[in-house]
Amino acid sequence: MMDYLLTEQQIMVRDLARKIAKEKIAPVAAEHDEKETFPWDIMKVMAESDLCGVYIEEKYGGLGGGAMELCLVTEELSRACGGIAICFAATALGTYPIILFGNDEQKQKYLPDIASGKKLAAFALTEAGAGSDAGAIATTARKEGDYYVLNGVKQWITNGGEAEVYSVIAMTDREKGARGASFFIVEKGTHGFDFGKKEKKLGIRASATRELVFNECKVHKDNLLGREGMGFIVAMKTFDKSRPGVAAQAVGIAQGALDHAVKYSRERKQFGKTISSFQGLQFMIADMATQIEAARALTYAVARMVDSGARDVSKESAMVKLFASDTAMKVTTDAIQVLGGYGYMRDYPVEKYMRDAKITQIYEGTNQIQRNIIALEVLKEQLRK
């Protein structure tokens, strides 16, 4: 692996996450996937290891890192299990709106418990008719005195039902279109806030994906993030910060699949020699390793760009999410090919890596949407020249 000039603290964080992945996650990954059970055992380990707040400021109980530290941890956990890793990473997604747009009172109330691992968070935008088309959001929030009353259903929410803190977008003024959406912090247990069925998924089966149901759910005005009408700004700025984390998940999944493929190739014999000695397979491994390293390099570069405070990282965040997730899908498919028939069997872990990889091309904006974002930004840059 290349030297990415990590700081001493970043190396410590990465190595600790790697140790947890190897010793705690890898042995139970298949069981959690098979039974579709939420990995509270691992979340407890993460809390005890002080990794839950790597991206949260020290004054709120975190380690004071940023997107880079979040990516390092997510990558290492995903190397063992993308489904378990997303339980950690989805909390960051749900927390970023509070970090970016919360006032100090809101941060003091919610961030310390998230940083300590006492509470998980979730991000709620997607609905049955609103995913890539965020402007089609149907969930509403009407103002009544000191409260907002939420009504609607959010779909496919990662950590749904397990998280205690939810960042939720709803329309406060539909007549204003995109400028009529607002974000709210909604706590589990709030009257009128319930959960739908837990979804059965192709991959990341250890994570919980549920509907959020709001039925006359009263949320105090103090839980409004930013100002009314800032909802889409909150969402887009959050994605700019979080998409490198999806890329890190994809890189970790791809690396884990390659690890298994290389190990198998050195053990499996055909025609009296290990298959790792065959040039055709060596070329596949070379391509897989190169693609992963390129994705990792771009992920770290964009994470550092985010942490530098760069004003506009939409294009770069879209690029890294697109490139790394496409790489993960390609590498995991090739890893199955290396194992041949065994790769297709659930007795071996590589088929799970491919199932887990697929979602990285879909959530936090499909890769087709990422290409739209990139193209529009490139075209705008050309006009400015």
Side-chain angles (χ1 to χ4, degrees):
M1 190 181 295
M2 295 173 63
D3 181 2
Y4 287 101
L5 304 177
L6 301 180
T7 66
E8 186 174 331
Q9 176 167 299
Q10 287 169 345
I11 292 172
M12 178 196 73
V13 165
R14 181 200 64 191
D15 291 350
L16 179 55
R18 184 174 295 174
K19 181 179 175 66
I20 291 172
K22 183 178 180 180
E23 296 180 2
K24 302 296 183 180
I25 297 179
V28 301
E31 181 180 358
H32 279 296
D33 178 73
E34 179 68 26
K35 296 181 179 179
E36 301 184 34
T37 48
F38 193 83
W40 281 114
D41 50 341
I42 306 301
M43 294 302 102
K44 182 179 179 181
V45 172
M46 294 292 292
E48 293 169 348
S49 303
D50 290 330
L51 289 180
C52 293
V54 290
Y55 56 94
I56 295 174
E57 289 182 80
E58 290 184 30
K59 67 177 179 178
Y60 299 117
L63 288 183
M68 186 64 183
E69 285 75 11
L70 174 62
C71 285
L72 289 170
V73 175
T74 302
E75 178 187 343
E76 293 300 330
L77 302 185
S78 300
R79 195 167 174 175
C81 178
I84 291 175
I86 196 58
C87 304
F88 161 79
T91 288
L93 175 62
T95 305
Y96 266 131
I98 301 172
I99 293 173
L100 295 172
F101 292 93
N103 56 41
D104 189 61
E105 183 178 341
Q106 290 169 333
K107 291 178 180 179
Q108 291 285 1
K109 182 177 181 179
Y110 294 106
L111 294 185
D113 281 348
I114 294 172
S116 68
K118 291 180 181 177
K119 294 182 178 180
L120 301 182
F123 181 88
L125 183 152
T126 304
E127 299 177 5
S132 297
D133 181 9
I137 287 171
T139 299
T140 59
R142 71 176 188 271
K143 187 77 179 295
E144 288 189 358
D146 289 338
Y147 290 85
Y148 289 88
V149 183
L150 275 63
N151 283 283
V153 179
K154 296 295 181 181
Q155 188 178 49
W156 301 332
I157 305 305
T158 307
N159 282 354
E162 308 298 334
E164 289 84 3
V165 180
Y166 295 80
S167 295
V168 181
I169 190 171
M171 300 300 295
T172 43
D173 189 345
R174 190 168 299 284
E175 293 182 1
K176 292 183 179 179
R179 296 187 179 185
S182 304
F183 251 94
F184 301 89
I185 305 170
V186 185
E187 297 180 42
K188 183 178 181 179
T190 301
H191 182 72
F193 176 28
D194 207 348
F195 305 102
K197 68 183 177 76
K198 182 180 178 181
E199 302 288 354
K200 299 184 75 67
K201 308 185 295 291
L202 170 73
I204 59 166
R205 289 153 54 105
S207 69
T209 305
R210 285 190 177 91
E211 288 181 334
L212 310 186
V213 182
F214 301 97
N215 183 14
E216 293 293 294
C217 174
K218 294 178 68 174
V219 178
H220 197 272
K221 65 181 182 180
D222 289 348
N223 281 29
L224 173 69
L225 280 168
R227 302 187 307 275
E228 271 195 29
M230 289 184 65
F232 287 109
I233 295 174
V234 175
M236 294 307 106
K237 292 299 181 183
T238 295
F239 285 146
D240 286 350
K241 294 276 189 179
S242 66
R243 279 173 178 152
V246 178
Q249 181 192 17
V251 170
I253 290 170
Q255 185 65 62
L258 177 60
D259 292 343
H260 285 288
V262 169
K263 182 176 183 295
Y264 178 86
S265 74
R266 296 176 67 88
E267 296 171 350
R268 174 70 166 168
K269 288 187 177 182
Q270 291 286 277
F271 306 105
K273 59 178 74 173
T274 60
I275 63 173
S276 63
S277 65
F278 300 146
Q279 189 178 66
L281 190 139
Q282 289 176 356
F283 284 0
M284 286 181 66
I285 289 175
D287 287 345
M288 293 159 74
T290 302
Q291 291 156 7
I292 292 169
E293 209 60 63
R296 180 179 288 116
L298 184 58
T299 299
Y300 291 3
V302 175
R304 284 184 167 129
M305 186 178 179
V306 169
D307 289 339
S308 74
R311 185 175 178 182
D312 187 1
V313 295
S314 296
K315 179 185 71 176
E316 291 77 12
S317 288
M319 283 179 168
V320 71
K321 194 269 188 188
L322 165 68
F323 184 78
S325 60
D326 280 355
T327 294
M329 203 64 226
K330 174 70 164 60
V331 168
T332 55
T333 302
D334 285 348
I336 289 177
Q337 194 70 21
V338 170
L339 270 71
Y342 289 108
Y344 202 71
M345 301 299 126
R346 295 182 70 173
D347 292 340
Y348 287 76
V350 289
E351 59 84 27
K352 176 184 177 300
Y353 282 92
M354 187 180 76
R355 290 189 286 108
D356 287 349
K358 185 59 193 175
I359 191 62
T360 64
Q361 294 180 308
I362 297 172
Y363 58 19
E364 291 196 38
T366 66
N367 281 7
Q368 287 68 37
I369 290 295
Q370 305 312 314
R371 287 178 168 88
N372 285 348
I373 294 169
I374 295 163
L376 289 172
E377 290 296 324
V378 171
L379 291 168
K380 283 194 293 185
E381 288 172 2
Q382 184 64 34
L383 287 174
R384 291 194 288 266
K385 289 182 180 178

